[in-house]
Structure formats: C-alpha cells, structure tokens
Amino acid sequence: MNTPIETPDVRLATRASPMALEQTGRFAELFRRCHPDLVLDVVEVVSEGDRHVGPLSRIGGKGAFTRTADRRLLAGEVDMAIACAKDVPGPHDREPGIAVGAVLPREDVRDVLVLPAGHPPATLADLPRGSRVGTSAPRRAALLKALYPALLPVPIRGNADSRLARLDSGALGVDAMIAALAGLGRLGLTGRVSEVLDPARWLPASGAGIVVIEHRGDDKATRDLLAPLTDAPTHALLDAERAALAALGGGCLTAASVHASLDPRTALLTVRAAVLDPGGAGALRATASGAADRAADLGREAGERLLRDGAARWLDGRP
C-alpha cells in the first residue's frame, strides 16, 4: 500500500545560512503550533549577497539578501519569506508588492566586539593603535571612526559563522570584528563576546534583533495566517524605524541608526534617529515621541527633522 505524500499548504523561503535556518526553525515551530492542520514547507534560497564576495554596494546593497526570495514570492513560487529586519531594504528601495505579515519579538539590539579565539579579553579602547576592525556596515564604520579614531575599519563579508572561522584562522585579514549580539545568540556563540557595546554611544542598527515574515501584498489568506503570530509592540517599533528610514530615503551606503523604544507603563513610543558622518566627524540626531498607534508618523517626523537639519549631505555615504 502506498503512503500518500503530503503536499505543502504553505511554502516559506529562507536563506540557507546557519543563522537564518535557526531563526526559521523557531518560526516554523510557532507556525505549526498555531496552525497544526497545515503543512509548512521550508524552501532554502541562495541570495545574491551570499554569492557575492565584494562590497554590497556593487550589487544593490541590502537588497542583495532579499531579491532572490522577493522574485520567488512575487512569482507565486513561495507564500512567505523570512529575514532579519535589518537586512530588508526600505520600501523606497524595493520592488512593490511585498508586505510584512508577522514581526517576531525583538531580541537584543546591541553590537559586540569579537576577538580571535584565544585572544585575552579586551575592549575597543584596549586595542592597539592601527588595529584592523572588520565590519561591512557603514553605520559601524562611521561609529568606529568617530569613537575610536586610532582604529581602522576594514570591510568584511560572509555569514557570521564563516567570518568567525576566518577570524580565528587569520584569513579574515583583521585583528577583531564587530557583530550583532542577537545573531551570535542564535548560533549559541555568545561566549565569543569580548565587549558588549553601549547602545547609548554605539548606536544600534535599524531593525536590529527583529525577524520578519513577509508575503505578497494581495495574499489575504497568508496575511491572515501570519496575523496571530506577530508581536504587536515589536511591530510598532519596526514601523517607526522603517518609516524614519523611508523619510530619509537612504541607500546601502547610508550610515544611519533609527531605534524605537516603547514604555510599557505609559505606552509612549520614542524614536531616536541619527545620520552619521561617514568620515567620523559627528552625527545629526532627532527624537520624536508619542502614542504607539502613531508609530509610523513618529518615525517620519524624526526622519524629516534630520533632513531639515542637513542630513542629506551624508546620505550617499560621502563625508
């Protein structure tokens, strides 16, 4: 007697990196608990960003990590796609037709310093003058130049696990690197942290620590499946941060930070936005506060204040 083969009711696209697969596994467990009668099929995709070894700016910036999944989503080959929010381009820099369906609870937003295995613990301030610090993010490079001008930011590429292996072997070409604490946590590698960087000074990435699941904007059935899986407070934070970035219209070279926080006692949402001088000379900052149900409006307000203060001169990555 032949056993019937289950066909998927829902297809979920994900990058194939260890970090992406870990967060996909956690989401898949939530989805199956919420919808036990549905079959969820995880479809691994290799993004342009995973294949390309040079600067992301040459292949369209952050969109390099989402374009392959976007194409499959819009073509109807998959129903959902999962990604780190900080890797998702703003709506002004992306093909239309894709919507955020679920936002998972925010994890740690902080960046950390990672040293080669066996190196004695140290902070950025401890590193010798001229030390090469690896990072692919314009925001991190600008912060490093502003706060630690004796250190040299060096572009690096690759998934977190491969970067760590190359750092330890010396093949990465740097003395240390900056990483996201949430990402190391997903890989079970928080023991590699040498210093947790204070977010009051070392401004966090927009969308840091947030995982999103997207769907086609006209796909009401998938939207309804994802709705009960979203974390409403985190969704408000993400709406504010993405609205500020959209107002700025920044691209892949923009050294910017937008971080929203929500006071659980008062339901007051505060957006802190900054555009950094890529050369490290300083930053323009703006803050907007109000009710959480005005999250997107508050984000736009913060972004527009930065533009009025002259942030446009730094948005293309030039000092």
Side-chain angles (χ1 to χ4, degrees):
M1 176 173 148
N2 292 330
T3 303
I5 299 174
E6 285 189 317
T7 56
D9 295 293
V10 183
R11 298 153 299 176
L12 171 68
T14 177
R15 290 171 62 197
S17 70
M19 189 184 302
L21 292 175
E22 190 279 337
Q23 66 194 25
T24 298
R26 285 189 288 121
F27 168 73
E29 184 178 345
L30 289 173
F31 184 90
R32 289 165 178 147
R33 274 207 308 265
C34 187
H35 305 293
D37 297 330
L38 296 180
V39 177
L40 178 68
D41 184 31
V42 175
V43 179
E44 296 181 13
V45 299
V46 179
S47 73
E48 296 172 32
D50 294 320
R51 290 192 296 266
H52 183 70
V53 296
L56 285 179
S57 57
R58 293 179 184 170
I59 55 171
K62 292 195 297 183
F65 292 114
T66 60
R67 274 194 297 269
T68 302
D70 285 357
R71 284 194 291 267
R72 298 194 67 171
L73 194 56
L74 293 170
E77 297 173 7
V78 296
D79 306 292
M80 305 183 295
I82 186 169
C84 294
K86 67 183 180 63
D87 292 333
V88 176
H92 63 289
D93 200 22
R94 194 179 191 194
E95 190 170 351
I98 296 174
V100 173
V103 179
L104 303 189
R106 184 165 229 166
E107 301 170 71
D108 205 306
V109 304
R110 295 174 294 177
D111 281 342
V112 296
L113 174 66
V114 180
L115 301 174
H119 192 290
T123 67
L124 279 170
D126 295 330
L127 296 181
R129 175 177 291 274
S131 293
R132 295 164 60 86
V133 181
T135 176
S136 59
R139 170 188 58 89
R140 290 171 175 163
L143 286 167
L144 197 69
K145 291 175 185 177
L147 300 175
Y148 303 94
L151 306 180
L152 178 66
V154 176
I156 55 174
R157 288 297 317 284
N159 296 323
D161 55 323
S162 65
R163 289 200 307 265
L164 278 170
R166 290 161 58 213
L167 175 69
D168 293 343
S169 70
L172 197 57
V174 297
D175 304 298
M177 73 178 196
I178 306 296
L181 181 54
L184 292 180
R186 290 172 197 151
L187 294 172
L189 295 173
T190 54
R192 294 300 308 268
V193 174
S194 182
E195 179 188 13
V196 177
L197 302 174
D198 179 3
R201 295 182 72 237
W202 189 275
L203 306 178
S206 306
I210 299 177
V211 173
V212 298
I213 300 86
E214 299 183 299
H215 61 88
R216 288 183 299 282
D218 60 359
D219 184 355
K220 182 179 182 301
T222 300
R223 180 172 72 243
D224 291 345
L225 290 175
L226 290 172
L229 299 173
T230 204
D231 181 70
T234 304
H235 205 320
L237 300 179
L238 183 62
D239 285 348
E241 292 174 14
R242 287 177 63 77
L245 287 181
L248 289 169
C252 61
L253 297 178
T254 304
S257 165
V258 185
H259 179 62
S261 58
L262 184 63
D263 187 326
R265 298 165 302 167
T266 63
L268 184 72
L269 189 146
T270 300
V271 186
R272 295 178 176 85
V275 174
L276 310 168
D277 173 9
L284 293 173
R285 300 173 187 249
T287 302
S289 297
D293 60 4
R294 295 187 55 245
D297 291 337
L298 295 171
R300 278 192 292 274
E301 182 181 330
E304 288 166 359
R305 285 183 186 175
L306 287 171
L307 291 176
R308 288 197 298 270
D309 289 343
R313 67 183 183 270
W314 291 335
L315 290 177
D316 63 358
R318 290 179 295 186

